[in-house]
Amino acid sequence: MEEKIITENWNKINPLKIDDYFSVGGYKALEKVILGKKFKEHIDEIKVSGLCGRGGAGFPTGEKIEMVFKIKDEKKFFICNLDESEPGTYKDRSIVDHNPHLLLEGIIILSLIIGAKKAFIYINGNYKKQIEILEIAIDKAKKDNFLGEKILKSKFNLEIEIFEGAGAYICGEETALINSIEGNRGEPKMRPPYPTKSGLFGKPTLINNAETIANIPWIISNGGKKYYEIGSKYSPGTKLFSIGGAISKPGVYEAPTGITLKEAIELAGGIKRGKDFWFAQVGGSSGRILTKRDLNARLDFYKNAEFPLGSGAILVVDKSTDIHDLLLSWMGFFRRESCGKCVPCREGTFRLWEIAKRLQDGEISERDEMAIQDILWTLQNTTFCPLGKFAATAFQGAVENFKDEIYKKCK
Ligand SMILES: Cc1cc2nc3c(=O)[nH]c(=O)nc-3n(C[C@H](O)[C@H](O)[C@H](O)COP(=O)(O)O)c2cc1C
Ligand code: SF4
């Protein structure tokens, strides 16, 4: 079940040695792109693969690349989204920890294909270890002429800049991320126009998640069809799962899309000895709650999937956990991370956090019970960006599934 594309060489090569990456075929896909077929044919190959964005929204990657490729403009940008501030998610950082050149190779290929001479890696500034690894890798790639002027003696030039964000969850959202690089307040912008048309400094910009990018060298080397044959037919390929909580071996695991929740838990060694599965939260703090009856649910990116995968984080919760602690922790996070641009989210997350506190203290009123439903509806339907919806997801799931536990202190 553990199909390996991104993690194939983890713990086999030294991430700080570019020669180790060469020894497993590293930078061969880039050579193929520069010396071989026309870029359009590579885009078609990525479209055939069915790869869709691993940042959470699942947008078809090939189509997005094509949109930027087709625009005629002297200046275009590529951005690797490595903000990864979703609690419980650490798969993008793990790529850097284990194989930074795989990510760089993907970034270079996509930048050249769309015609960008400048690429950014946008990373949460608290991730010092990964920033250091990336700096070393970029330096080595430059020395070996995979970056900089006239890459591999071709006509292509590319510079990669690491941009350290201040560590705000909303800056992972692509338009807020662009604002942040431009030196503006990190809050989302109205779309359309989409970044593909008018992105960084108003120029066509391709933004991809780090995991999405790390699939690209494999697809170029092995072909789109081979990739399409892996995993679910709705969103083919593999997915990195960050699995934590009441399980035996917390960590990052790669598996085909469409595996069941039960299979994902087994990948991480199963439920911890002496613990009893209660529920799992899939997709980080903004994820849905899956209970025992959902253990055979398939985890997919398909837009109508019953349980969207989101960032791929799975938190396994056992019966010894106090649901009130979780509610308070979720709402504390969203209250802090709401950027404040729109009232429903700014106020709604704060009010839900206050209610979560009263629930924990057993001081809930009848008015609070009604208010919960109103606030959840408001967050789900009226906020400017998806963060508002995210803030409501887990709370809603908890109220629906564990009403007795939630209100038990109030009786
Ligand atoms: C509140 C919020 C936070 C997000 N955080 C991230 C993030 O940390 N990393 C990421 O790649 N995408 C994040 N996204 C999704 C991005 O906006 C965007 O869809 C993604 O980077 C596109 O890349 P992909 O097509 O490869 O998935 C976030 C979206 C929202 C609404
Ligand atoms: S929903 Fe929240 S994070 Fe998004 S714009 Fe409104 S206040 Fe900001």
Side-chain angles (χ1 to χ4, degrees):
M1 188 177 43
E2 240 189 309
E3 193 88 38
K4 289 184 173 175
I5 288 178
I6 294 175
T7 60
E8 173 66 31
N9 296 305
W10 286 17
N11 302 319
K12 290 185 203 159
I13 59 169
N14 182 338
L16 299 179
K17 291 194 171 158
I18 198 167
D19 287 346
D20 277 23
Y21 187 55
F22 295 151
S23 72
V24 292
Y27 287 108
K28 287 273 174 240
L30 175 63
E31 275 177 28
K32 191 170 169 183
V33 169
I34 289 192
L35 307 171
K37 292 196 245 178
K38 296 218 159 62
F39 288 172
K40 175 74 179 75
E41 289 171 43
H42 292 299
I43 297 175
D44 290 341
E45 210 61 55
I46 297 168
K47 280 167 85 178
V48 167
S49 77
L51 175 67
C52 63
R54 300 305 197 233
F59 192 85
T61 307
E63 283 178 31
K64 200 155 84 173
I65 299 169
E66 191 168 45
M67 286 176 200
V68 186
F69 170 78
K70 277 185 172 166
I71 299 175
K72 302 240 174 305
D73 199 313
E74 265 301 293
K75 212 170 202 172
K76 297 182 188 177
F77 293 104
F78 180 79
I79 301 176
C80 162
N81 191 342
L82 222 157
D83 185 61
E84 196 167 56
S85 304
E86 177 81 56
T89 309
Y90 46 97
K91 46 127 190 151
D92 295 338
R93 271 167 288 164
S94 296
I95 297 174
V96 176
D97 288 342
H98 292 95
N99 198 350
H101 285 285
L102 176 71
L103 181 64
L104 288 191
E105 189 175 6
I107 293 174
I108 300 167
I109 290 172
L110 290 178
S111 301
L112 298 193
I113 286 181
I114 61 162
K117 294 186 186 70
K118 172 98 192 217
F120 289 87
I121 299 177
Y122 187 94
I123 185 166
N124 181 325
N126 296 308
Y127 302 158
K128 298 291 178 212
K129 179 185 163 200
Q130 286 74 23
I131 292 168
E132 209 173 298
I133 296 174
L134 284 169
E135 279 169 352
I136 294 170
I138 289 174
D139 203 40
K140 298 226 156 119
K142 249 191 219 159
K143 282 192 180 125
D144 282 330
N145 193 221
F146 296 110
L147 267 176
E149 309 255 302
K150 298 195 169 56
I151 297 174
L152 298 176
K153 300 198 177 92
S154 70
K155 57 180 182 182
F156 301 109
N157 308 326
L158 180 70
E159 187 199 339
I160 299 184
E161 179 177 335
I162 300 172
F163 190 98
E164 296 179 40
Y169 176 54
I170 192 59
C171 285
E173 193 280 334
E174 57 188 21
T175 58
L177 183 157
I178 286 173
N179 260 335
S180 167
I181 298 182
E182 288 174 345
N184 302 320
R185 200 185 150 109
E187 58 184 23
K189 302 186 201 189
M190 184 61 90
R191 295 180 308 178
Y194 289 94
T196 43
K197 207 169 170 197
S198 174
L200 189 61
F201 304 115
K203 292 293 171 186
T205 304
L206 177 63
I207 304 182
N208 278 123
N209 168 258
E211 184 187 347
T212 315
I213 299 165
N215 280 292
I216 296 296
W218 194 97
I219 295 172
I220 301 287
S221 299
N222 296 279
K225 192 164 168 285
K226 210 158 167 206
Y227 190 88
Y228 181 76
E229 283 161 8
I230 301 166
S232 132
K233 68 176 192 293
Y234 302 116
S235 52
T238 62
K239 174 80 194 88
L240 296 183
F241 295 92
S242 325
I243 311 181
I247 38 124
S248 302
K249 290 189 281 172
V252 174
Y253 295 89
E254 183 171 19
T257 53
I259 62 162
T260 64
L261 173 60
K262 193 160 166 251
E263 287 167 334
I265 292 173
E266 279 160 10
L267 271 181
I271 303 293
K272 219 185 227 165
R273 226 162 172 205
K275 300 279 183 189
D276 192 12
F277 176 83
W278 188 15
F279 65 89
Q281 190 185 21
V282 177
S285 283
S286 55
R288 296 270 296 269
I289 284 178
L290 277 68
T291 61
K292 271 189 176 145
R293 66 173 181 270
D294 306 312
L295 279 168
N296 289 317
R298 300 211 167 268
L299 306 173
D300 214 326
F301 274 108
Y302 178 45
K303 75 170 183 269
N304 296 324
E306 198 182 354
F307 298 109
L309 257 172
S311 69
I314 301 180
L315 174 71
V316 177
V317 180
D318 77 292
K319 283 276 182 191
S320 66
T321 307
D322 185 343
I323 191 73
H324 301 97
D325 291 344
L326 267 180
L327 286 176
L328 201 55
S329 147
W330 291 328
M331 291 328 299
F333 172 75
F334 284 111
R335 182 202 136 195
R336 195 177 60 243
E337 296 298 336
S338 167
C339 81
K341 179 173 173 135
C342 69
V343 176
C345 171
R346 189 176 66 224
E347 287 298 311
T349 51
F350 186 76
R351 297 295 161 215
L352 270 190
W353 172 76
E354 284 185 324
I355 291 174
K357 259 173 71 180
R358 288 202 284 277
L359 277 166
Q360 194 174 49
D361 296 340
E363 286 171 359
I364 196 111
S365 67
E366 227 173 86
R367 241 180 105 202
D368 281 333
E369 281 187 54
M370 287 190 308
I372 288 175
Q373 293 310 326
D374 285 347
I375 298 169
L376 287 175
W377 186 91
T378 307
L379 285 170
Q380 278 155 350
N381 294 285
T382 66
T383 56
F384 184 80
C385 87
L387 188 142
K389 228 180 232 152
F390 292 171
T393 308
F395 204 109
Q396 175 90 49
V399 171
E400 275 168 17
N401 288 291
F402 316 119
K403 203 166 177 194
D404 290 348
E405 286 88 344
I406 287 176
Y407 289 113
K408 79 172 177 221
K409 289 190 181 175
C410 312
K411 284 178 184 150

